[in-house]
Amino acid sequence: IKRRVRAETNEEKLVEEAIVEEETAKTEENETAQKEEIAKEEITVEVATEANEEKSAEEETTTVEETVTAEERDADAEETAAATETAETAETAEKEAAKIPSYLTDNEKISMV
């Protein structure tokens, strides 16, 4: 009877050990799966962050290019305005010079201006 009780006890211990080992294996599998999921999420976040940084850099470059283009446009407009003003001044001077009679001497012409 004692042998039978010991055998049953040993058998129960073996079953309990098998159950514990199985639960441990499941726990380890779950932990591994969780670690893999966390790693995937970290990679996704890293990729998204890099994409955002690249997009920001592109937007910043575009903004700088737009600013430079606007400055160039402003400079061109100023040059055009200055050239137009100079041409108008020259044209006005020519018209005024045309009003001075040609028979006058240079000194008389200067005094009229």
Side-chain angles (χ1 to χ4, degrees):
I1 293 177
K2 286 183 180 181
R3 284 185 195 162
R4 205 181 290 156
V5 170
R6 271 190 247 153
E8 288 175 4
T9 304
N10 285 339
E11 211 175 286
E12 288 173 1
K13 285 181 183 179
L14 291 175
V15 169
E16 285 178 17
E17 286 177 12
I19 291 172
V20 168
E21 286 177 11
E22 188 177 316
E23 288 175 355
T24 302
K26 285 181 182 178
T27 302
E28 288 175 357
E29 285 177 17
N30 287 339
E31 287 174 354
T32 302
Q34 286 176 346
K35 287 178 183 178
E36 288 174 357
E37 187 63 31
I38 289 170
K40 286 179 186 176
E41 289 174 5
E42 287 175 351
I43 290 171
T44 302
V45 168
E46 187 175 321
V47 168
T49 301
E50 288 176 5
N52 285 339
E53 288 172 355
E54 287 177 14
K55 184 178 178 184
S56 294
E58 288 173 6
E59 289 173 354
E60 189 174 315
T61 300
T62 302
T63 302
V64 169
E65 288 172 353
E66 289 171 354
T67 301
V68 168
T69 302
E71 289 172 355
E72 289 172 351
R73 218 178 10 250
D74 292 345
D76 288 345
E78 287 175 12
E79 286 178 18
T80 303
T84 303
E85 186 178 332
T86 302
E88 289 172 353
T89 302
E91 186 179 324
T92 303
E94 286 176 13
K95 286 180 183 176
E96 292 297 321
K99 291 179 186 177
I100 299 173
S102 59
Y103 59 84
L104 297 176
T105 65
D106 288 339
N107 287 335
E108 290 172 329
K109 290 178 183 178
I110 292 172
S111 65
M112 286 186 74
V113 175

